[in-house]
Amino acid sequence: MHAKLLARQPLQAAVAVHRCAARHARAVMTLVRSTTQPTSCSTVLKPEVSHILRTAEAICFDVDSTFCEDESIDELAAYLGVGEQVAALTAKAMGGTVEFKDALRTRLGVMQPTRAALDAFLHDHPHRVTRGIPELVALLRSRGQEVFLVSGGFRQIIHPLAEALGIPLSHVFANSILFDAEGKYAGFDESEFTCRSGGKPAAIRHIKEKYGYDSVVMVGDGATDMEARLEGAASLFVGYGGVVVRKNIAEKADWYIMDIQQLIDALQKH
């Protein structure tokens, strides 16, 4: 099916290749910029932060630009030919300057993804898992600490990633794109926790209540991740800047890291 779809649209496929090359060039520049340590933030692992990290019953991860190097909404938008418009809206959403549900509705309205286009995207764009994540997930599992994915991205994109890393789908909290009988875009599931601002802390409170956890850590790069700590759901917020540094997040995180290996090292300390 994917081959037929692409074959019917040779011009679109050629344009997609051009955009892909441009995106990779931008990604390289982003990675270069993000290697500079932010100045006004907690980059030193404090003893109390280390204790919470090591004793928490569960660790929740954002997916885009944290668990993976991709920003999947932007990648899908570029694949559909509306990359620049949607990337600007994503930046506003992650920076905390617009209500998340409004940004999600606007972005999907611009994109109008069909079921066939989403299937083709998944076929052509395997996840770029952040270096160290498979090892970190294995380490957490060996320590008896549960892993959850709490994302403003889409279940259709995240579920294959979770399955590949052995994370139960019941541990995934994300948005669902809806399609009509013909496979055309029909909105998104507005009952999902993460479709709205404040959704991630709500999801974490749900996780704590359902599983009886006292302490949960949130790891992520954006404003919606930090909300989980500010609203008292997460006991700790670890900001991640290995893909992109967001100054407002770096300044307010309990601990700000640039490499997943830092989490691995902290958990392995005796």
Side-chain angles (χ1 to χ4, degrees):
M1 178 179 67
H2 302 150
K4 290 180 180 178
L5 174 67
L6 294 176
R8 288 198 301 269
Q9 300 175 340
L11 178 58
Q12 180 180 342
V15 172
V17 170
H18 174 75
R19 291 194 187 101
C20 183
R23 287 201 308 277
H24 282 298
R26 290 196 298 271
V28 170
M29 292 304 296
T30 298
L31 288 171
V32 170
R33 289 196 300 269
S34 70
T35 56
T36 301
Q37 286 277 359
T39 54
S40 301
C41 64
S42 183
T43 56
V44 176
L45 178 59
K46 299 176 182 177
E48 59 270 27
V49 170
S50 176
H51 175 74
I52 295 172
L53 179 64
R54 291 172 55 80
T55 58
E57 292 133 309
I59 313 293
C60 296
F61 293 89
D62 177 38
V63 175
D64 292 340
S65 296
T66 300
F67 209 75
C68 290
E69 294 179 353
D70 317 83
E71 192 67 45
S72 63
I73 294 179
D74 290 350
E75 295 284 334
L76 177 59
Y79 190 77
L80 297 173
V82 290
E84 291 186 6
Q85 295 165 261
V86 172
L89 292 167
T90 298
K92 290 182 180 179
M94 293 301 98
T97 59
V98 65
E99 212 283 330
F100 190 83
K101 182 182 283 189
D102 293 337
L104 181 62
R105 181 179 291 109
T106 301
R107 285 181 288 177
L108 284 171
V110 171
M111 292 160 62
Q112 291 291 311
T114 64
R115 189 189 301 275
L118 183 57
D119 287 344
F121 171 78
L122 289 171
H123 179 270
D124 294 342
H125 289 74
H127 290 283
R128 291 186 290 132
V129 179
T130 300
R131 184 179 61 182
I133 283 293
E135 294 81 4
L136 177 57
V137 170
L139 175 60
L140 290 168
R141 186 176 291 122
S142 73
R143 293 173 52 83
Q145 293 175 289
E146 295 293 334
V147 174
F148 291 81
L149 302 181
V150 183
S151 171
F154 305 126
R155 289 184 179 274
Q156 288 92 338
I157 295 174
I158 296 171
H159 279 183
L161 171 65
E163 291 175 329
L165 291 174
I167 299 170
L169 297 187
S170 60
H171 286 198
V172 176
F173 293 83
N175 289 301
S176 295
I177 302 174
L178 304 178
F179 303 101
D180 64 18
E182 297 178 352
K184 295 180 180 178
Y185 173 65
F188 59 94
D189 185 349
E190 297 195 23
S191 70
E192 295 281 9
F193 286 110
T194 58
C195 75
R196 60 187 183 274
S197 295
K200 289 188 178 181
I204 291 177
R205 284 191 289 268
H206 170 79
I207 290 168
K208 291 172 72 174
E209 181 178 351
K210 180 177 180 179
Y211 295 97
Y213 298 152
D214 292 320
S215 181
V216 173
V217 172
M218 183 70 204
V219 182
D221 71 297
T224 58
D225 307 308
M226 187 171 62
E227 281 180 340
R229 178 74 167 103
L230 299 181
E231 295 192 16
S235 302
L236 183 73
F237 170 57
V238 178
Y240 177 67
V243 177
V244 57
V245 173
R246 306 184 198 279
K247 183 180 178 183
N248 60 324
I249 306 304
E251 291 174 346
K252 297 176 182 178
D254 293 298
W255 184 33
Y256 199 77
I257 64 172
M258 301 296 291
D259 194 317
I260 294 299
Q261 186 63 43
Q262 293 173 258
L263 277 172
I264 296 173
D265 292 343
L267 289 167
Q268 289 178 332
K269 285 184 178 179
H270 296 290

